Amino acid sequence: MTYDIIIIGAGPAGVSAALYAKRANLNVAVIYSGESQLEKAHKIDNYYGFSEGITGPDLYKNGIEQAKNLGIEVIQAEVTHIEMLAPPPKTQYSVKAGGNEYTATSLILATGNKKLRPNIAGIVDFEGKGVSYCAVCDGFFYRKKNVAVIGNGTFAVEEASHLAHIADSVTILTDGKSDDEVKSALSKDSSVAQKIKIDVRKVSKIILNEEGSKVGGVSFEDGETLTVDGVFVALGSAGAADFAKKLGLALNGDSIATNEKMATNAPGIFSCGNANGGLLQVCKAVYEGGVAGLSAVDYIRKIKQ
Ligand SMILES: Cc1cc2nc3c(=O)[nH]c(=O)nc-3n(C[C@H](O)[C@H](O)[C@H](O)COP(=O)(O)OP(=O)(O)OC[C@H]3O[C@@H](n4cnc5c(N)ncnc54)[C@H](O)[C@@H]3O)c2cc1C
């Protein structure tokens, strides 16, 4: 099948892009597969218009339904390969998903930023009970408390720095990995460096608090424990960056680099939402999706002139 625009990802960024592109009367498909960040969000309490909040899975499902109701083709399949078939001025891209090949003049990457889970037994059971994947979302709940951040890169330092302004103590747990990148990133931010400790020991499990209801700490392979009220996971993500590398797109760390119109450095390829890094929130994903959708519309119209 051939489309004007293929959007990869059906989270807030991808669906917003699709809504704007479809309403400009273009031939649009959204391809998605796998868990979105939004589905992991227990409750979204800070998005405009939901006075009682809304669960992440409900908001995600509503978005996909909204796209379908507008007549957008929504295909559930994992995208495994993307390549350029024809260069400008009439670009054509091939997208392989679920054993099929789709082509389009323009692509919008809205794949989110996959959060990797550390290989720590039972960590999934603590999600929403003290294990978080987003310091900006959940840091507020740890005012004057003690938290740990699992990760060994720049992303972990970013999350720890945010938490250092809120929590009493922040310890970065590299979980047996080198702390070189963490130390290097911390050395660039003297305002928080002194508040953040680093522990390189391998974590064996998350332990419960005294009430047995939430995270109470972590235990290490050497048998010692660290008492914390919350554990933030900030492992590097390869999802968006993988596609970017395949297409030769410029990156900022693990995030796709775009201009203010969400255009990447490749002709006709736009990117939006968590894939671009920055504020990892629904409001930004929706905004960037809208901009990417309209930019792709402009791109197609110029080609068709
Ligand atoms: C636990 C948690 C709590 C959060 N709480 C809040 C909150 O309170 N408020 C807030 O504003 N934000 C919150 N967020 C962040 C919010 O969920 C994200 O910022 C938002 O979902 C990003 O939207 P997105 O469209 O960029 O990516 P996502 O929502 O991650 O969507 C990515 C899409 O890409 C698809 N995809 C990925 N790879 C492929 C592939 N290879 N092939 C096909 N499809 C693919 C996925 O299936 C999905 O449809 C939270 C996140 C988490 C994890």
Side-chain angles (χ1 to χ4, degrees):
M1 276 293 291
T2 296
Y3 301 91
D4 292 319
I5 304 169
I6 290 178
I7 296 155
I8 303 166
V15 166
S16 300
L19 296 175
Y20 280 87
K22 180 71 181 177
R23 288 166 67 99
N25 207 23
L26 295 189
N27 184 14
V28 180
V30 173
I31 306 179
Y32 80 103
S33 165
E35 203 177 45
S36 81
Q37 287 302 298
L38 191 52
E39 285 173 289
K40 287 191 197 165
H42 180 62
K43 194 155 180 211
I44 304 285
D45 260 334
N46 57 358
Y47 186 58
Y48 174 79
F50 291 92
S51 56
E52 303 296 324
I54 182 166
T55 70
D58 279 349
L59 190 57
Y60 186 64
K61 189 163 54 71
N62 290 352
I64 292 172
E65 280 311 304
Q66 190 180 3
K68 287 180 180 167
N69 290 345
L70 196 63
I72 294 164
E73 187 155 355
V74 180
I75 300 160
Q76 198 166 0
E78 186 186 347
V79 174
T80 49
H81 186 75
I82 306 174
E83 68 179 275
M84 182 188 259
L85 298 178
K90 285 195 172 180
T91 46
Q92 197 184 25
Y93 290 96
S94 158
V95 175
K96 292 193 176 138
N100 296 313
E101 183 175 16
Y102 306 89
T103 56
T105 308
S106 173
L107 297 181
I108 298 178
L109 303 177
T111 52
N113 195 355
K114 271 183 200 141
K115 291 280 174 286
L116 302 174
R117 282 195 180 99
N119 192 17
I120 298 171
I123 192 161
V124 178
D125 300 335
F126 287 94
E127 287 175 4
K129 295 177 191 162
V131 167
S132 168
Y133 289 77
C134 176
V136 172
C137 308
D138 298 332
F140 185 69
F141 302 119
Y142 296 92
R143 280 162 299 172
K144 302 207 180 304
K145 295 192 173 176
N146 303 306
V147 296
V149 176
I150 298 179
N152 67 324
T154 312
F155 179 41
V157 173
E158 269 174 32
E159 297 284 277
S161 301
H162 180 83
L163 293 164
H165 292 287
I166 302 168
D168 250 6
S169 79
V170 182
T171 307
I172 295 180
L173 305 174
T174 67
D175 194 20
K177 312 252 170 38
S178 158
D179 59 0
D180 290 353
E181 204 181 320
V182 167
K183 279 184 174 160
S184 154
L186 274 179
S187 69
K188 291 174 193 149
D189 188 353
S190 56
S191 67
V192 290
Q194 286 187 332
K195 292 171 84 175
I196 299 172
K197 288 175 249 162
I198 305 172
D199 196 319
V200 296
R201 287 175 292 174
K202 190 138 185 52
V203 178
S204 57
K205 62 177 181 179
I206 310 285
I207 48 181
L208 283 165
N209 63 5
E210 276 177 10
E211 290 80 47
S213 55
K214 286 184 171 178
V215 167
V218 296
S219 67
F220 298 100
E221 273 190 351
D222 61 13
E224 289 194 20
T225 60
L226 174 75
T227 303
V228 286
D229 306 286
V231 172
F232 287 79
V233 179
L235 296 172
S237 168
D242 273 348
F243 288 129
K245 282 174 194 157
K246 277 186 188 189
L247 292 160
L249 305 184
L251 289 168
N252 281 327
D254 279 339
S255 305
I256 297 176
T258 66
N259 64 14
E260 73 286 354
K261 295 193 166 171
M262 306 304 140
T264 69
N265 58 321
I269 302 186
F270 303 85
S271 174
C272 49
N274 279 18
N276 293 0
L279 182 69
L280 304 181
Q281 294 279 281
V282 173
C283 58
K284 180 207 166 248
V286 168
Y287 164 73
E288 289 191 356
V291 174
L294 290 173
S295 298
V297 168
D298 272 356
Y299 179 81
I300 300 283
R301 284 185 178 155
K302 279 182 190 137
I303 284 181
K304 285 185 173 175
Q305 266 170 13

